[in-house]
Amino acid sequence: MVNLDLTEEQQLLEQSVREWGARAVAPRIHDLDRAHQFDRALLPQMADLGLLGSCIPQKYGGAGMDYVSLGVASEELEYLDTSLRVIVSVHVGLNSLTLLSWGTEDQKSRYLIPQAQGKKIATYGLTEPSAGSDARGIQSVAIKKGDRYVLTGEKMWISLADVADNFLVFAWSDLEKKKQRDPNGISAFIIERAFKGFSSGTLKEKWGILAGNTGFFKMDEVEVPQDNLVGREGEGFKIAMFALDQGRYTVAAGATGLIRACRDASVRYAKQRKAFGVEIGSHQLVKEMLAQMESDYQASRLLWMRAGSLKNVGRRNTKETGLAKWFATVASERAASDAVQIHGANGYSDEYPVGRFYRNCKGAVIYEGTREIHKVMQADYLLGYRTDRPTRCELPPYA
Ligand SMILES: Cc1cc2nc3c(=O)[nH]c(=O)nc-3n(C[C@H](O)[C@H](O)[C@H](O)COP(=O)(O)OP(=O)(O)OC[C@H]3O[C@@H](n4cnc5c(N)ncnc54)[C@H](O)[C@@H]3O)c2cc1C
């Protein structure tokens, strides 16, 4: 029989994140969101819970949890607020797990260990002002000069751009291949905020995930030591896609948490609010929305757990992770919209949390592969236009 029960360790993690969230986050999240304020004080608390190094092995400073635990944490964090799950998505999913698989021992000791311990915060810079889905359209370049690369370019829509210390960055290191749009000309680098020529800023006009930091960074002839090249020269595109397999997993589990948050808030409200002399929950059309939320929650959870189980045994899961991310994020948009609907005019105000859920859910339908990109991907697998070939480095199975 397939065992879908959480292990004791996973249940303990779920419980600890819930208790911490109820105490340290829930009473303040409305105000943080309204003030567009990223609360740095939450980072050491998340580190204490092991969340910033959740499934990084203990020998690299992490908590040594399995990959399903990363999903459990992501679901609980986004139940509280999307901004918290985003921290884990970029810091652990996109950055640290990539260093675990692709980094040298020297890079692991200089970057992965302090990141897993939560002493340094990390993010991932692929998107640029003129290129998102079309990652080969990036314009950043890395010119080799002696034992360094000189990086010039601009990254846009970067989570934690104004918070992170370390950045996993992608740039063209082969200008001939850039002209031909051959992805084998892209390389991956680790950049530190302290490197000369690096600057960053926060996007002020964002209308969702307001308690999170999203911004841009510029590289003005930033000199990066050769030792900070991740993988081999020309492997950057593969590394960027590898990272997305882990980031998307946390987004899938997070969106599942958002659906649960919508469901719980809606059930509460449906039992309180009366219309036509009865609780609105007794009206069939309200029931329909609640039932849809429950089926979306359960299906989304099964999909991310399947992807996490494959990660645990070291099996390639690009297709399964993509499906989980696509399904859960689209379902979370439906759940958030219906949650506002069930709350009527009250849902249209920030007095209730569902308006924040509605603003927050949309980002995930866009980042880490838009809804359309994921649709195309799933169809391409079916049609045989796409298959996953093994890469030089894969995610290590959970030992
Ligand atoms: C809150 C937030 C946080 C983010 N954080 C990060 C981060 O930390 N790091 C990072 O690198 N990026 C980040 N991003 C950027 C994100 O990954 C991109 O926005 C995303 O990849 C989409 O790119 P785009 O915005 O340029 O849209 P575009 O690629 O311009 O797409 C516009 C529209 O065209 C559609 N489209 C494009 N190509 C196709 C196609 N082939 N077939 C069908 N439809 C297509 C898209 O689906 C979309 O609807 C973040 C974005 C947001 C909103």
Side-chain angles (χ1 to χ4, degrees):
M1 192 178 119
V2 181
N3 187 359
L4 295 169
D5 293 337
L6 297 184
T7 63
E8 256 179 54
E9 287 84 7
Q10 291 159 354
Q11 285 178 38
L12 197 64
L13 173 73
E14 185 182 64
Q15 202 50 40
S16 333
V17 181
R18 265 185 206 172
E19 281 169 14
W20 166 74
R23 185 171 26 83
V25 182
R28 302 172 52 231
I29 193 63
H30 171 272
D31 293 348
L32 291 172
D33 185 75
R34 283 291 80 197
H36 295 217
Q37 193 190 335
F38 179 86
D39 184 6
R40 274 176 188 271
L42 294 174
L43 293 172
Q45 297 174 31
M46 290 173 72
D48 286 347
L49 288 164
L51 301 178
L52 300 185
S54 49
C55 46
I56 304 297
Q58 286 170 344
K59 73 169 181 164
Y60 294 121
M65 300 173 196
D66 74 322
Y67 298 103
V68 170
S69 297
L70 176 62
V72 168
S74 302
E75 191 179 311
E76 290 308 317
L77 288 173
E78 190 147 359
Y79 186 85
L80 293 162
D81 192 63
T82 304
S83 60
L84 297 168
R85 191 271 305 150
V86 168
I87 295 170
V88 165
S89 291
V90 295
H91 177 85
V92 179
L94 290 169
N95 189 309
S96 297
L97 283 171
T98 308
L99 294 190
L100 177 67
S101 285
W102 291 84
T104 60
E105 284 306 314
D106 166 58
Q107 289 167 350
K108 287 176 189 167
S109 83
R110 284 189 295 131
Y111 296 107
L112 181 59
I113 291 177
Q115 287 175 196
Q117 293 169 334
K119 292 180 180 157
K120 295 283 178 189
I121 299 301
T123 189
Y124 169 95
L126 178 63
T127 307
E128 299 191 355
S130 59
S133 308
D134 178 15
R136 293 178 204 192
I138 62 170
Q139 295 302 313
S140 293
V141 291
I143 309 295
K144 185 100 191 269
K145 284 201 179 146
D147 61 351
R148 342 213 105 218
Y149 289 86
V150 179
L151 266 74
T152 302
E154 185 179 356
K155 298 291 176 180
M156 187 57 119
W157 285 104
I158 305 303
S159 304
L160 307 190
D162 249 355
V163 172
D165 306 286
N166 303 333
F167 299 78
L168 181 62
V169 174
F170 303 88
W172 289 97
S173 52
D174 184 325
L175 299 188
E176 268 315 302
K177 291 201 165 91
K178 176 175 186 282
K179 274 190 214 148
Q180 295 148 14
R181 285 175 52 87
D182 174 352
N184 294 314
I186 294 176
S187 297
F189 303 89
I190 302 167
I191 292 195
E192 296 177 32
R193 173 175 296 283
F195 285 0
K196 192 161 169 277
F198 180 94
S199 59
S200 72
T202 292
L203 293 170
K204 304 279 187 206
E205 306 297 331
K206 191 170 55 127
W207 55 258
I209 322 181
L210 298 178
N213 177 263
T214 316
F216 57 89
F217 64 85
K218 291 184 182 163
M219 299 169 292
D220 183 9
E221 301 197 345
V222 174
E223 288 194 16
V224 181
Q226 185 161 353
D227 289 347
N228 282 23
L229 173 72
V230 182
R232 297 180 187 138
E233 207 178 281
E235 282 187 321
F237 190 80
K238 282 186 198 130
I239 294 172
M241 297 304 124
F242 167 92
L244 288 171
D245 279 353
Q246 292 23 284
R248 284 170 180 167
Y249 173 63
T250 61
V251 174
T256 307
L258 186 71
I259 299 170
R260 176 154 54 88
C262 291
R263 179 200 69 183
D264 291 355
S266 300
V267 167
R268 245 185 340 262
Y269 192 79
K271 288 168 79 77
Q272 274 166 21
R273 179 77 178 177
K274 291 209 166 82
F276 299 92
V278 290
E279 289 175 0
I280 59 167
S282 353
H283 297 300
Q284 276 201 359
L285 291 175
V286 172
K287 282 187 189 172
E288 187 197 26
M289 289 188 272
L290 295 175
Q292 181 71 51
M293 285 178 201
E294 176 64 1
S295 75
D296 280 341
Y297 171 63
Q298 298 295 347
S300 299
R301 187 167 164 97
L302 286 175
L303 287 173
W304 77 248
M305 286 190 86
R306 177 173 172 232
S309 308
L310 292 173
K311 287 180 198 294
N312 271 351
V313 294
R315 272 179 54 195
R316 183 76 184 262
N317 52 83
T318 304
K319 179 176 185 290
E320 291 79 5
T321 298
L323 185 62
K325 190 271 179 190
W326 171 42
F327 184 88
T329 55
V330 170
S332 75
E333 200 179 356
R334 178 166 54 230
S337 172
D338 282 349
V340 170
Q341 197 68 23
I342 288 173
H343 283 67
N346 286 333
Y348 207 63
S349 114
D350 269 331
E351 202 188 327
Y352 288 82
V354 291
R356 174 166 54 87
F357 300 157
Y358 192 46
R359 284 187 276 106
N360 285 354
C361 71
K362 188 63 188 177
V365 188
I366 296 170
Y367 50 66
E368 304 221 22
T370 64
R371 176 179 60 201
E372 292 69 35
I373 292 297
H374 280 286
K375 261 188 206 171
V376 170
M377 203 169 127
Q378 293 300 324
D380 283 353
Y381 279 116
L382 291 176
L383 292 160
Y385 298 163
R386 182 185 171 121
T387 47
D388 293 328
R389 290 181 205 92
T391 55
R392 198 165 60 76
C393 299
E394 299 290 353
L395 194 65
Y398 176 65

